[in-house]
Amino acid sequence: MNEEREQIMMRVRRALSPIQERAALPRYDSEMVVQRAMLAGRDRVELLAERMQRVNGQLFTDVHALVAHLSAQGWKHGYCDPVLWPALAVHFQGFTVELEFDRTRVDDYAFGITRAAGAIAESGTIVLNDTTTSRRLAALTPWVHVAVVERATIFLDVPAAIAGLGPDRNVIWCTGPSKTADVEGILIEGVHGPGVQLALVV
Amino acid sequence: MKFQPIDLAAAGLRPDKRASVYQSTKATHEKRTKLLFEQYNDPDQLRRWAGEVKQHAIENLDAYLPAVEAKLKANGAQVHWASTAESACQQVLKIMRARGATKMVKAKTMVSEEIELADYLGRHGIEALETDLGEFIVQIDHDHPSHIVRPIIHKNRREIARSFEREGLGAYNDDPQTITSRARQFLRHKYLAADVGLTGANFVSAESGRMVLVTNEGNSRFCLAATKCHIALIGIEKIVPRDYDLALLLNLLGRSGTAQELTVYTEFITGPKTAEQPDGPEEMHVIFVDNGRTDVLESDCREILRCIRCGACLNVCPVYRQASGHAYRSVYPGPVGAVLSPLLEGKHGFAKKADLPKASSLCGACHEVCPVNIPIPDLLLRLRNRANQEGIASPGTPPMGAWALLASQPLAWRTALVASQVMNHLPTNLLPIPALRAWQEERVLPEWRGGKFRQWMSQRRKAK
Ligand code: SF4
């Protein structure tokens, strides 16, 4: 298929050759896309909680409250990243929590608990990547995803999060639960991804 | 009188469909405007910058394409090039066959619609399933999308419920929640059984080779978690110069397209998974598709290649709101489609869609909302001019011959101006057409003042 590559490159060069002066890359400050007034002087965790709520996500700083919430909704069976489990196990009395994720039984897991790589306070976003996510499927297929976010990894705004993407091959920003408005423009949550996006900040 | 194809299609649109298209486009447009102007001091400046970034990128594709290719290869992806739709389809098939794969799950990509990939693969014995809810419904109905972001904006829940019943997805139920959860249940097992996941890309950064994919439903995430091979079909115009530009573009895309600060899922992918991650593609192919784009680049309408497919111009367009998407007879409807579709037909196919650039009042709303500031009305005019130069017939245009004759003969013109004074004395209450008579009863024609300017001119000359 090298021939086709050459053909396309040749056509691109031919198309561009008559242009006298090519458009320059503009100099701009991406600060302009940041809602700075809203962010000024705010605590990152508080702000993240607020902004997550705006997109129908929910943030917990207290593991008891998180467990009570899961329990109250009847979400008692799930998966947890084995790295997180030693610290969490004591709180999950009466739950069935698997430390191995079995892709042939995706419907069995009501929740998946995995580590986040960070978060973005401005947009209420959870940042996942392959380095911190034990299994892509476990963060995606259960109805509830609980992302465990370390306080120090919360970016304040979107440009900062872009600058901090790092070398990971698969970075995913999750801003609220999966949703669609395809049917008559009516908002429905939980299409292919989690219907409930929670975060536990530690 | 004969009509343009787009007018005929629009005239045949069912009133309930027109109403639903009108209402939802209007609502999205209003939310978009509110969000942008409440949150930013000067959103128009952001649109101008984004436009300049993309214009720079497409005018330097000769440098950026090889740069992206090198990055992707270094990240472990295989890079392919397809100059035509047919070649792109064949290359996808070849990759599938080489793996012995028979099942593909597809995230929403406009390029795959453009090259009619799913049909092609179907004919070659491969199940290529659409996973975006809207596209899935389009697929089971053998229909076509009518909006780039909201493929089934033309369908109501009852039609969808009937389709689901017909396909064996459960007894008739038109509750949107039920429809969605049935699709969720059906499709998740399809992802897990598929071998190949196909996606597009919204942006590819030349600096890092990072491809960026945005979805709300999470279907592209599922494709890239469940399957072993990832194929990305990407138009060559999707390049952006730097990662830095992504913050600007993503903020504008979400707000302009669906009135969200950010789309729910934004994925940044630089290559196949590493050995430490149990889920996801071990093999990644990127196919860069031309399919007419270099022709557009060569034309005087290359600005349209900046388009980030947000759909804002469709939502605001008075013609789209009345005509809906199918009237444009192509994958790209609305103002963007009126420019792009005739151009993508190539030099010889242009005439087939030359009516589209004429379906506009040139009100300029599309230009005002476009997150990459594409001067769509100017481009429409250039295409009208091209159609005129190429002598392409224009059914429905009122005959202007007699008028042209009159206006180009000074004597005839002067006579007509004076003779028309007669209009001031017409017995309008005797008009032969009842509708006109009724109209006239309520209104008075302004007095005919033809020739006054000429009089003034000649007097002025005399006075000097
Ligand atoms: S032309 Fe502009 S407004 Fe229309 S879809 Fe493309 S980016 Fe959006």
Side-chain angles (χ1 to χ4, degrees), chain B residues 23-262:
Chain B
Q23 276 151 14
S24 46
T25 50
K26 186 162 174 281
T28 311
H29 167 67
E30 280 162 5
K31 275 190 251 159
R32 164 237 168 239
T33 308
K34 189 160 177 271
L35 200 58
L36 272 169
F37 283 85
E38 269 178 5
Q39 297 186 328
Y40 294 137
N41 293 331
D42 192 357
D44 289 331
Q45 180 58 52
L46 301 180
R47 298 192 304 113
R48 283 193 289 273
W49 278 334
E52 287 171 31
V53 167
K54 287 283 302 196
Q55 188 71 16
H56 166 80
I58 60 168
E59 289 189 8
N60 289 278
L61 278 180
D62 51 351
Y64 284 139
L65 284 172
V68 161
E69 180 186 35
K71 284 285 173 196
L72 284 165
K73 283 186 170 165
N75 294 338
Q78 301 179 46
V79 182
H80 314 259
W81 301 84
S83 43
T84 60
E86 200 186 3
S87 159
C89 289
Q90 283 166 357
Q91 294 190 47
V92 173
L93 182 65
K94 201 170 141 201
I95 297 167
M96 301 274 303
R97 292 229 163 116
R99 295 183 56 85
T102 56
K103 288 189 168 69
M104 168 191 282
V105 276
K106 281 184 74 234
K108 182 167 159 46
T109 99
M110 296 309 294
V111 189
S112 74
E113 304 275 345
E114 188 186 311
I115 66 171
E116 297 177 2
L117 178 69
D119 285 349
Y120 175 90
L121 292 176
R123 285 199 301 278
H124 290 82
I126 284 173
E127 178 187 276
L129 198 68
E130 298 288 352
T131 58
D132 173 89
L133 179 59
E135 295 285 350
F136 172 68
I137 292 164
V138 163
Q139 190 176 42
I140 61 178
D141 281 353
H142 305 285
D143 195 355
H144 293 282
S146 67
H147 189 289
I148 45 186
V149 178
R150 304 261 315 275
I152 52 166
I153 196 166
H154 63 289
K155 283 187 194 291
N156 63 40
R157 60 174 89 185
R158 292 174 299 283
E159 296 171 84
I160 299 166
R162 280 195 294 276
S163 305
F164 271 44
E165 191 180 21
R166 186 192 64 225
E167 297 297 315
L169 294 170
Y172 181 94
N173 187 324
D174 63 12
D175 167 33
Q177 181 82 60
T178 308
I179 290 173
T180 308
S181 62
R182 282 177 179 173
R184 175 185 171 96
Q185 220 34 53
F186 175 75
L187 286 168
R188 56 180 29 217
H189 297 287
K190 291 288 187 181
Y191 292 110
L192 290 162
D195 184 49
V196 173
L198 183 121
T199 71
N202 295 80
F203 308 103
V204 187
S205 157
E207 177 191 25
S208 58
R210 243 180 249 288
M211 48 181 274
V212 185
L213 260 171
V214 309
T215 67
N216 271 317
E217 299 183 2
N219 49 333
S220 69
R221 259 186 93 181
F222 217 140
C223 289
L224 300 188
T227 65
K228 284 291 161 227
C229 172
H230 175 199
I231 303 177
L233 271 181
I234 307 176
I236 55 169
E237 82 284 17
K238 292 291 169 207
I239 312 280
V240 298
R242 307 165 297 190
D243 286 5
Y244 184 80
D245 301 311
L246 295 172
L248 172 66
L249 290 164
L250 287 168
N251 271 299
L252 282 173
L253 176 60
R255 286 176 174 83
S256 304
T258 46
Q260 290 169 287
E261 291 181 26
L262 284 178

Side-chain angles (χ1 to χ4, degrees), chain A residues 64-129:
Chain A
H64 299 285
L66 169 72
V67 173
H69 181 69
L70 294 175
S71 183
Q73 300 290 326
W75 297 320
K76 306 274 281 193
H77 183 171
Y79 162 88
C80 181
D81 177 349
V83 174
L84 295 169
W85 190 238
L88 294 177
V90 287
H91 306 287
F92 280 80
Q93 304 296 331
F95 283 74
T96 312
V97 177
E98 300 182 36
L99 305 182
E100 295 262 345
F101 189 86
D102 181 353
R103 66 179 271 151
T104 63
R105 296 189 288 109
V106 287
D107 294 332
D108 288 358
Y109 306 93
F111 60 84
I113 308 176
T114 68
R115 280 193 300 156
I120 312 170
E122 181 189 20
S123 52
T125 302
I126 302 297
V127 180
L128 308 179
N129 68 19

Side-chain angles (χ1 to χ4, degrees), chain B residues 148-149 253 256-257 303-304 306-314 316 333-337 365-367 369-374 376:
Chain B
I148 45 186
V149 178
L253 176 60
S256 304
E303 291 92 333
I304 201 67
R306 292 182 208 161
C307 174
I308 58 174
R309 310 279 189 266
C310 73
C313 59
L314 281 64
V316 78
V336 56
C366 46
H367 184 188
V369 300
C370 178
V372 283
N373 198 31
I374 302 175
I376 295 177

